[in-house]
Amino acid sequence: MNLNLTRVDYVHVGTTSRGSLRIVKGKDEKPQKKKKSLLTTFSAAEKVVVGAQNGSLLCFERKKNETAVVFKTPQGPEISVVRLGGALGAVQDRIFAVQEKRIVGYSKKGKNFLTLETNFSENIHSMFVYGVDLFLSARNVFMHLHDTVESATYRCNDTINDCLCLQVTEGGWVGRGITPVLACDDKTLKILSGSEVAFELLLGDSPNVLHLFMNDGGFNKQMVLYGTKNGRLGLAELTETNPRVLWEIPTKSSGGVSAIHCYPITSSDYPDVIIGKEDGMIEIYGVDMQNFASFKQSYECNESITGLQCGRVGSENFDEIVVCSYTGWVFALTTEPIVVKTPQPAPSEAGKNVPQPPMEIKVHQLRTEVEELEAKLKEEKAKYEKATQKSGVAMRIPRFSINDQFLLDKENACYSLSIELIIPIDIVIVQSDVLLDLMDVEKSSAVLSKTVPHDGSGNAVLALIRCGENVTRLEIRLRSSEGTYGTIRVYVCPKTQPKMCQR
């Protein structure tokens, strides 16, 4: 069955990194009347935690269709990862966040209980919490901390994209103790034993993100879902004697998988697999008795997905997919039917209908607030123009953050360059000293214009790409002649005043 998903915006927090959103479950979990699967428990008091690149950690909940802030930390070093932890077998309501090389911990009410300075030389970009154990990874270094004390360290020859730990419970990895798993850029999953690699599992593509199957490793606690940089989804069974890839399937687009979660969103007998991708696609896959996944439906939000979790935040009776985008929007794709209620006019004493006073007052307040903001914006623009026109005053052009990736697209036999800003893109200029074939991209409204370079200028390609309204993400596909090499320069101009450009 296809779900009717409706987007509901919750809050905007600024730019975010991958893995920066989590849902905190409440303590009073109750089973649903109709048992759907092993993951049918929910809480009516679920909260959302999201960390931004400005260093602020925000925890909020929904009350009467309004966003209520539970706590918010001051700005500081960039938050790259947010994870939940707690005692094994209990509710995971402890919040752990990575700020560059430091680990901070907060309770669900915002009380700081941990500040741990690590000895990493690079910023930490991946973390997994299991009881009193912390698993951290930077670009090439993995570290295991037991009760904040270093227990094991491993240096990888390739880039580490993600890490997790298999659960140590009855029926899985009994007697082996802690078993970390690393997703590496050399198309392998590395399973560690202490500071050594126990074995490697070769995959068909570079894994980008890891997630425990069914959120706990499946029936034997040894299954791991992985998403690749070229948009493939796979399931690996990491037994001690016969580790293997059970299946690996292509998804509906070539965008890298950035988030995975398991939840019975479609009310099936088994939890579904929901994935978020870097090209803005959110896809739902059903799982059968043989643990094989099949596509059900998708949703496109046109923004890179950095975090994705499922639960019941807005309503205790309807499931929803809570999503965080790179630009900082936290929104829900809810299964709750959205009915627009038209307010009924209240009858007057003379029998004539008159508008309800509360609605009139609310509309008047909103109009007044908009007018005040417009006047304030106009005043600030006038001040800025007056200051820049004075002689001897240096004008400072602020830099803006660019989220870009340059990857090889195997399916289309080309290179894919994705550019994303937190503000709308106006134009993008492509300059190259080698011949390039700029290809069309489906679902793109951008207009491409090419200019013939002058002889002796050293340019082989000069192209201008003009974007439409409110476009914050642009994908450029290009193909070069085999055996040629050179330099490609891309200049991005956002829709701002004054006009500025950044390479």
Side-chain angles (χ1 to χ4, degrees):
M1 104 180 168
N2 283 338
L3 298 174
N4 186 16
L5 300 175
T6 305
R7 173 167 174 165
V8 179
D9 291 335
Y10 284 166
V11 71
H12 186 267
V13 296
T15 53
T16 59
S17 302
R18 193 185 71 191
S20 57
L21 179 137
R22 302 292 163 188
I23 292 181
V24 182
K25 305 291 183 180
K27 288 186 177 180
D28 298 324
E29 295 190 349
K30 301 177 182 179
Q32 296 179 1
K33 293 181 180 179
K34 181 181 178 181
K35 187 176 181 181
K36 300 176 184 176
S37 66
L38 299 175
L39 301 178
T40 52
T41 58
F42 69 91
S43 170
E46 295 183 347
K47 301 177 179 63
V48 179
V49 180
V50 59
Q53 292 184 2
N54 60 12
S56 178
L57 185 68
L58 174 67
C59 178
F60 68 88
E61 60 184 350
R62 295 286 289 181
K63 289 183 177 180
K64 298 179 180 180
N65 294 328
E66 297 290 338
T67 299
V69 176
V70 178
F71 71 87
K72 182 178 181 181
T73 63
Q75 295 185 6
E78 174 185 341
I79 294 179
S80 56
V81 186
V82 176
R83 285 283 188 177
L84 299 179
L88 297 179
V91 179
Q92 305 294 293
D93 57 359
R94 297 276 181 167
I95 304 166
F96 295 84
V98 173
Q99 290 184 319
E100 295 182 349
K101 307 176 186 65
R102 180 175 61 187
I103 312 298
V104 292
Y106 294 91
S107 67
K108 63 180 180 180
K109 295 184 179 179
K111 182 179 179 181
N112 178 245
F113 65 86
L114 174 67
T115 300
L116 176 64
E117 297 287 348
T118 66
N119 57 0
F120 276 89
S121 59
E122 298 177 342
N123 291 343
I124 302 169
H125 65 76
S126 180
M127 174 176 64
F128 190 82
V129 182
Y130 184 67
V132 295
D133 294 280
L134 291 175
F135 304 89
L136 311 171
S137 69
R139 180 179 174 84
N140 299 100
V141 179
F142 166 81
M143 183 181 296
H144 170 207
L145 302 179
H146 178 75
D147 202 8
T148 69
V149 178
E150 183 177 337
S151 176
T153 304
Y154 170 72
R155 182 172 183 82
C156 184
N157 294 327
D158 214 316
T159 303
I160 302 174
N161 296 323
D162 201 3
C163 68
L164 56 73
C165 172
L166 298 179
Q167 294 191 3
V168 183
T169 55
E170 188 65 28
W173 298 94
V174 177
R176 292 196 61 182
I178 296 296
T179 307
V181 181
L182 306 182
C184 300
D185 234 8
D186 57 356
K187 300 183 181 180
T188 62
L189 294 181
K190 291 181 171 57
I191 290 79
L192 304 183
S193 178
S195 299
E196 302 293 333
V197 177
F199 57 87
E200 295 183 356
L201 182 62
L202 183 63
L203 308 178
D205 195 10
S206 299
N208 196 38
V209 62
L210 299 176
H211 187 79
L212 291 174
F213 186 57
M214 300 301 171
N215 300 331
D216 62 357
F219 71 94
N220 61 358
K221 312 303 180 191
Q222 302 175 83
M223 297 184 182
V224 175
L225 286 164
Y226 62 88
T228 71
K229 291 187 175 182
N230 283 330
R232 299 181 68 86
L233 177 67
L235 177 64
E237 186 177 23
L238 305 179
T239 59
E240 182 180 2
T241 57
N242 184 28
R244 55 183 178 144
V245 176
L246 297 180
W247 50 262
E248 184 176 304
I249 58 175
T251 56
K252 296 303 176 180
S253 67
S254 60
V257 180
S258 56
I260 306 176
H261 192 68
C262 297
Y263 191 84
I265 192 73
T266 61
S267 302
S268 58
D269 294 333
Y270 299 92
D272 305 295
V273 177
I274 302 97
I275 65 172
K277 307 180 74 176
E278 294 173 351
D279 60 359
M281 292 292 292
I282 298 171
E283 301 176 8
I284 302 175
Y285 291 81
V287 180
D288 57 18
M289 294 181 62
Q290 286 75 34
N291 295 326
F292 189 81
S294 58
F295 175 76
K296 287 193 173 183
Q297 70 179 93
S298 63
Y299 181 91
E300 187 174 2
C301 69
N302 299 318
E303 296 177 81
S304 295
I305 306 300
T306 56
L308 182 148
Q309 295 267 283
C310 299
R312 298 186 173 185
V313 178
S315 172
E316 61 182 69
N317 299 318
F318 295 94
D319 297 320
E320 57 189 83
I321 305 172
V322 181
V323 183
C324 181
S325 67
Y326 167 76
T327 56
W329 278 108
V330 180
F331 61 91
L333 301 178
T334 178
T335 58
E336 181 180 6
I338 303 298
V339 179
V340 179
K341 297 182 179 180
T342 304
Q344 297 294 331
S348 63
E349 295 180 358
K352 296 182 179 180
N353 294 332
V354 295
Q356 293 185 0
M359 183 58 67
E360 279 189 349
I361 295 174
K362 189 173 183 180
V363 170
H364 179 71
Q365 290 175 346
L366 290 174
R367 287 178 177 172
T368 303
E369 185 177 353
V370 170
E371 291 175 357
E372 291 177 355
L373 291 174
E374 288 178 347
K376 187 175 181 181
L377 177 61
K378 188 176 180 180
E379 182 181 352
E380 293 296 328
K381 282 185 176 180
K383 289 182 179 178
Y384 181 80
E385 291 177 359
K386 185 177 180 180
T388 54
Q389 290 174 359
K390 290 182 178 180
S391 58
V393 178
M395 183 174 62
R396 178 180 178 272
I397 301 297
R399 294 184 62 85
F400 50 89
S401 176
I402 301 178
N403 181 28
D404 61 286
Q405 284 189 329
F406 189 69
L407 300 173
L408 175 64
D409 189 346
K410 298 179 181 178
E411 294 184 0
N412 297 306
C414 64
Y415 290 98
S416 176
L417 172 63
S418 62
I419 301 171
E420 186 169 12
L421 308 182
I422 60 174
I423 49 181
I425 303 174
D426 189 8
I427 58 174
V428 174
I429 301 173
V430 180
Q431 177 192 18
S432 174
D433 54 10
V434 293
L435 290 176
L436 297 175
D437 180 17
L438 298 177
M439 306 169 60
D440 294 332
V441 180
E442 303 85 357
K443 301 179 182 179
S444 176
S445 60
V447 179
L448 174 64
S449 302
K450 295 183 180 180
T451 302
V452 179
H454 295 291
D455 296 336
S457 64
N459 295 322
V461 174
L462 281 176
L464 184 143
I465 303 174
R466 187 174 296 277
C467 300
E469 293 292 331
N470 299 322
V471 174
T472 59
R473 187 180 187 276
L474 176 67
E475 182 180 359
I476 304 172
R477 292 179 182 174
L478 51 93
R479 185 182 293 155
S480 62
S481 300
E482 186 176 355
T484 61
Y485 64 93
T487 303
I488 302 174
R489 297 180 179 87
V490 179
Y491 303 86
V492 183
C493 301
K495 291 184 178 180
T496 57
Q497 291 294 337
K499 289 292 184 181
M500 54 183 168
C501 178
Q502 191 168 312
R503 187 175 70 174

